[in-house]
Short mmCIF file of all heavy atoms in Angstrom, two decimals:
data_model
loop_
_atom_site.label_atom_id
_atom_site.label_comp_id
_atom_site.label_asym_id
_atom_site.label_seq_id
_atom_site.Cartn_x
_atom_site.Cartn_y
_atom_site.Cartn_z
N ASN E 167 -34.25 66.09 -70.65
CA ASN E 167 -34.98 66.82 -71.69
C ASN E 167 -34.95 68.34 -71.49
O ASN E 167 -35.92 69.04 -71.75
CB ASN E 167 -36.44 66.36 -71.77
CG ASN E 167 -36.56 64.86 -72.00
OD1 ASN E 167 -35.75 64.27 -72.72
ND2 ASN E 167 -37.54 64.24 -71.38
N GLY E 168 -33.81 68.84 -71.00
CA GLY E 168 -33.66 70.29 -70.85
C GLY E 168 -34.40 70.87 -69.65
O GLY E 168 -34.57 72.08 -69.54
N GLU E 169 -34.86 69.99 -68.77
CA GLU E 169 -35.59 70.45 -67.58
C GLU E 169 -34.98 69.85 -66.31
O GLU E 169 -34.47 68.74 -66.32
CB GLU E 169 -37.06 70.04 -67.65
CG GLU E 169 -37.85 70.72 -68.76
CD GLU E 169 -39.30 70.27 -68.80
OE1 GLU E 169 -39.61 69.17 -68.28
OE2 GLU E 169 -40.11 71.02 -69.37
N SER E 170 -35.08 70.61 -65.23
CA SER E 170 -34.70 70.12 -63.92
C SER E 170 -35.97 70.01 -63.08
O SER E 170 -36.65 71.02 -62.87
CB SER E 170 -33.70 71.07 -63.24
OG SER E 170 -32.45 71.04 -63.91
N THR E 171 -36.29 68.80 -62.66
CA THR E 171 -37.50 68.57 -61.88
C THR E 171 -37.14 68.29 -60.44
O THR E 171 -36.41 67.34 -60.13
CB THR E 171 -38.30 67.37 -62.45
OG1 THR E 171 -38.65 67.65 -63.81
CG2 THR E 171 -39.57 67.13 -61.65
N VAL E 172 -37.63 69.14 -59.56
CA VAL E 172 -37.37 69.02 -58.12
C VAL E 172 -38.52 68.27 -57.47
O VAL E 172 -39.69 68.61 -57.69
CB VAL E 172 -37.23 70.42 -57.47
CG1 VAL E 172 -37.03 70.29 -55.96
CG2 VAL E 172 -36.07 71.18 -58.10
N LEU E 173 -38.20 67.24 -56.70
CA LEU E 173 -39.22 66.44 -56.01
C LEU E 173 -39.05 66.56 -54.51
O LEU E 173 -37.91 66.56 -54.01
CB LEU E 173 -39.12 64.97 -56.43
CG LEU E 173 -39.23 64.67 -57.93
CD1 LEU E 173 -39.03 63.19 -58.19
CD2 LEU E 173 -40.58 65.13 -58.47
N CYS E 174 -40.17 66.65 -53.80
CA CYS E 174 -40.09 66.75 -52.34
C CYS E 174 -41.36 66.18 -51.73
O CYS E 174 -42.36 65.94 -52.43
CB CYS E 174 -39.91 68.21 -51.90
SG CYS E 174 -41.30 69.29 -52.32
N ALA E 175 -41.33 65.96 -50.42
CA ALA E 175 -42.52 65.48 -49.71
C ALA E 175 -43.58 66.58 -49.76
O ALA E 175 -43.25 67.76 -49.73
CB ALA E 175 -42.16 65.15 -48.26
N PRO E 176 -44.87 66.20 -49.87
CA PRO E 176 -45.94 67.21 -49.94
C PRO E 176 -45.88 68.24 -48.82
O PRO E 176 -46.09 69.44 -49.05
CB PRO E 176 -47.22 66.37 -49.85
CG PRO E 176 -46.83 65.04 -50.40
CD PRO E 176 -45.41 64.83 -49.94
N GLU E 177 -45.56 67.77 -47.61
CA GLU E 177 -45.53 68.70 -46.47
C GLU E 177 -44.36 69.68 -46.54
O GLU E 177 -44.35 70.70 -45.83
CB GLU E 177 -45.50 67.92 -45.14
CG GLU E 177 -44.29 67.01 -44.96
CD GLU E 177 -44.53 65.60 -45.49
OE1 GLU E 177 -45.45 65.40 -46.32
OE2 GLU E 177 -43.80 64.69 -45.05
N ASN E 178 -43.35 69.39 -47.38
CA ASN E 178 -42.20 70.29 -47.52
C ASN E 178 -42.31 71.19 -48.75
O ASN E 178 -41.42 72.01 -49.01
CB ASN E 178 -40.91 69.48 -47.62
CG ASN E 178 -40.60 68.71 -46.35
OD1 ASN E 178 -41.07 69.08 -45.28
ND2 ASN E 178 -39.82 67.64 -46.47
N PHE E 179 -43.40 71.04 -49.50
CA PHE E 179 -43.50 71.74 -50.78
C PHE E 179 -43.35 73.25 -50.65
O PHE E 179 -42.57 73.88 -51.37
CB PHE E 179 -44.83 71.41 -51.46
CG PHE E 179 -45.08 72.23 -52.70
CD1 PHE E 179 -44.35 71.99 -53.86
CD2 PHE E 179 -46.00 73.27 -52.69
CE1 PHE E 179 -44.56 72.76 -55.01
CE2 PHE E 179 -46.22 74.04 -53.82
CZ PHE E 179 -45.49 73.78 -54.98
N GLU E 180 -44.09 73.85 -49.72
CA GLU E 180 -44.05 75.32 -49.60
C GLU E 180 -42.66 75.81 -49.22
O GLU E 180 -42.19 76.83 -49.74
CB GLU E 180 -45.07 75.78 -48.57
CG GLU E 180 -46.49 75.79 -49.11
CD GLU E 180 -47.39 76.65 -48.25
OE1 GLU E 180 -47.32 77.88 -48.37
OE2 GLU E 180 -48.13 76.07 -47.46
N THR E 181 -42.00 75.11 -48.32
CA THR E 181 -40.66 75.50 -47.90
C THR E 181 -39.68 75.44 -49.06
O THR E 181 -38.89 76.37 -49.30
CB THR E 181 -40.15 74.58 -46.76
OG1 THR E 181 -41.06 74.66 -45.66
CG2 THR E 181 -38.76 74.99 -46.31
N VAL E 182 -39.74 74.35 -49.82
CA VAL E 182 -38.84 74.18 -50.96
C VAL E 182 -39.16 75.22 -52.04
O VAL E 182 -38.25 75.84 -52.61
CB VAL E 182 -38.97 72.75 -51.54
CG1 VAL E 182 -38.19 72.62 -52.84
CG2 VAL E 182 -38.48 71.72 -50.53
N GLN E 183 -40.44 75.43 -52.30
CA GLN E 183 -40.83 76.41 -53.31
C GLN E 183 -40.32 77.80 -52.95
O GLN E 183 -39.76 78.52 -53.80
CB GLN E 183 -42.35 76.44 -53.46
CG GLN E 183 -42.84 77.42 -54.54
CD GLN E 183 -44.35 77.47 -54.62
OE1 GLN E 183 -45.04 77.41 -53.60
NE2 GLN E 183 -44.87 77.57 -55.83
N GLN E 184 -40.49 78.20 -51.69
CA GLN E 184 -40.05 79.54 -51.27
C GLN E 184 -38.54 79.68 -51.38
O GLN E 184 -38.03 80.73 -51.78
CB GLN E 184 -40.51 79.82 -49.84
CG GLN E 184 -40.30 81.26 -49.40
CD GLN E 184 -41.00 82.26 -50.31
OE1 GLN E 184 -42.20 82.16 -50.55
NE2 GLN E 184 -40.24 83.22 -50.86
N ALA E 185 -37.80 78.62 -51.03
CA ALA E 185 -36.34 78.67 -51.11
C ALA E 185 -35.88 78.86 -52.55
O ALA E 185 -34.93 79.61 -52.82
CB ALA E 185 -35.75 77.38 -50.53
N LEU E 186 -36.56 78.21 -53.48
CA LEU E 186 -36.20 78.33 -54.90
C LEU E 186 -36.58 79.71 -55.44
O LEU E 186 -35.87 80.27 -56.28
CB LEU E 186 -36.87 77.22 -55.70
CG LEU E 186 -36.29 75.82 -55.40
CD1 LEU E 186 -37.21 74.73 -55.89
CD2 LEU E 186 -34.91 75.67 -56.04
N ILE E 187 -37.69 80.26 -54.96
CA ILE E 187 -38.06 81.62 -55.34
C ILE E 187 -37.01 82.60 -54.80
O ILE E 187 -36.58 83.52 -55.51
CB ILE E 187 -39.46 81.98 -54.78
CG1 ILE E 187 -40.54 81.19 -55.52
CG2 ILE E 187 -39.74 83.49 -54.91
CD1 ILE E 187 -41.93 81.33 -54.93
N ASP E 188 -36.59 82.40 -53.56
CA ASP E 188 -35.57 83.27 -52.95
C ASP E 188 -34.25 83.18 -53.71
O ASP E 188 -33.46 84.14 -53.73
CB ASP E 188 -35.34 82.88 -51.49
CG ASP E 188 -36.55 83.19 -50.61
OD1 ASP E 188 -37.41 83.98 -51.06
OD2 ASP E 188 -36.64 82.64 -49.50
N ALA E 189 -34.01 82.02 -54.35
CA ALA E 189 -32.78 81.83 -55.12
C ALA E 189 -32.92 82.39 -56.54
O ALA E 189 -32.07 82.16 -57.40
CB ALA E 189 -32.41 80.35 -55.18
N LYS E 190 -34.03 83.12 -56.77
CA LYS E 190 -34.31 83.75 -58.08
C LYS E 190 -34.50 82.70 -59.19
O LYS E 190 -34.10 82.92 -60.32
CB LYS E 190 -33.17 84.71 -58.46
CG LYS E 190 -32.92 85.82 -57.44
CD LYS E 190 -34.10 86.79 -57.40
CE LYS E 190 -33.78 88.02 -56.55
NZ LYS E 190 -33.97 87.79 -55.11
N LEU E 191 -35.11 81.58 -58.82
CA LEU E 191 -35.38 80.53 -59.79
C LEU E 191 -36.89 80.52 -60.07
O LEU E 191 -37.71 80.46 -59.14
CB LEU E 191 -34.92 79.17 -59.26
CG LEU E 191 -33.39 79.02 -59.13
CD1 LEU E 191 -33.05 77.83 -58.26
CD2 LEU E 191 -32.77 78.89 -60.50
N ASP E 192 -37.27 80.60 -61.33
CA ASP E 192 -38.67 80.71 -61.74
C ASP E 192 -39.15 79.38 -62.31
O ASP E 192 -38.72 78.96 -63.39
CB ASP E 192 -38.80 81.83 -62.77
CG ASP E 192 -40.23 82.11 -63.15
OD1 ASP E 192 -41.12 81.77 -62.33
OD2 ASP E 192 -40.48 82.64 -64.24
N ALA E 193 -40.05 78.73 -61.61
CA ALA E 193 -40.54 77.42 -62.04
C ALA E 193 -41.56 77.56 -63.17
O ALA E 193 -42.40 78.45 -63.16
CB ALA E 193 -41.17 76.67 -60.87
N GLN E 194 -41.47 76.64 -64.15
CA GLN E 194 -42.48 76.57 -65.21
C GLN E 194 -43.78 76.00 -64.65
O GLN E 194 -44.86 76.36 -65.08
CB GLN E 194 -42.00 75.64 -66.33
CG GLN E 194 -40.87 76.16 -67.18
CD GLN E 194 -40.52 75.16 -68.26
OE1 GLN E 194 -40.13 74.04 -67.96
NE2 GLN E 194 -40.68 75.55 -69.51
N HIS E 195 -43.62 75.10 -63.72
CA HIS E 195 -44.77 74.45 -63.09
C HIS E 195 -44.39 74.09 -61.67
O HIS E 195 -43.27 73.68 -61.40
CB HIS E 195 -45.15 73.16 -63.85
CG HIS E 195 -45.97 72.22 -63.02
ND1 HIS E 195 -47.30 72.39 -62.78
CD2 HIS E 195 -45.60 71.11 -62.31
CE1 HIS E 195 -47.74 71.42 -61.99
NE2 HIS E 195 -46.73 70.63 -61.69
N ALA E 196 -45.33 74.28 -60.73
CA ALA E 196 -45.07 73.91 -59.34
C ALA E 196 -46.38 73.52 -58.68
O ALA E 196 -47.40 74.19 -58.85
CB ALA E 196 -44.44 75.09 -58.60
N GLY E 197 -46.37 72.40 -57.97
CA GLY E 197 -47.58 71.97 -57.28
C GLY E 197 -47.39 70.61 -56.64
O GLY E 197 -46.36 69.95 -56.83
N VAL E 198 -48.38 70.20 -55.87
CA VAL E 198 -48.39 68.86 -55.30
C VAL E 198 -49.16 67.98 -56.27
O VAL E 198 -50.32 68.27 -56.59
CB VAL E 198 -49.04 68.86 -53.91
CG1 VAL E 198 -49.14 67.43 -53.38
CG2 VAL E 198 -48.23 69.72 -52.94
N VAL E 199 -48.52 66.94 -56.76
CA VAL E 199 -49.07 66.14 -57.85
C VAL E 199 -49.07 64.65 -57.50
O VAL E 199 -48.49 64.22 -56.51
CB VAL E 199 -48.25 66.34 -59.15
CG1 VAL E 199 -48.19 67.82 -59.52
CG2 VAL E 199 -46.83 65.78 -58.99
N MET E 200 -49.73 63.88 -58.36
CA MET E 200 -49.65 62.41 -58.31
C MET E 200 -48.68 62.01 -59.42
O MET E 200 -49.02 62.06 -60.60
CB MET E 200 -51.02 61.79 -58.52
CG MET E 200 -52.01 62.09 -57.41
SD MET E 200 -51.53 61.38 -55.81
CE MET E 200 -51.84 59.63 -56.11
#
Side-chain angles (χ1 to χ4, degrees):
N167 304 325
E169 294 179 338
S170 291
T171 300
V172 177
L173 303 177
C174 64
E177 60 270 21
N178 295 337
F179 173 72
E180 282 198 78
T181 301
V182 173
Q183 182 182 38
Q184 189 57 54
L186 290 163
I187 290 173
D188 292 343
K190 302 292 188 278
L191 292 164
D192 186 23
Q194 289 181 299
H195 160 78
V198 175
V199 304
M200 294 295 288

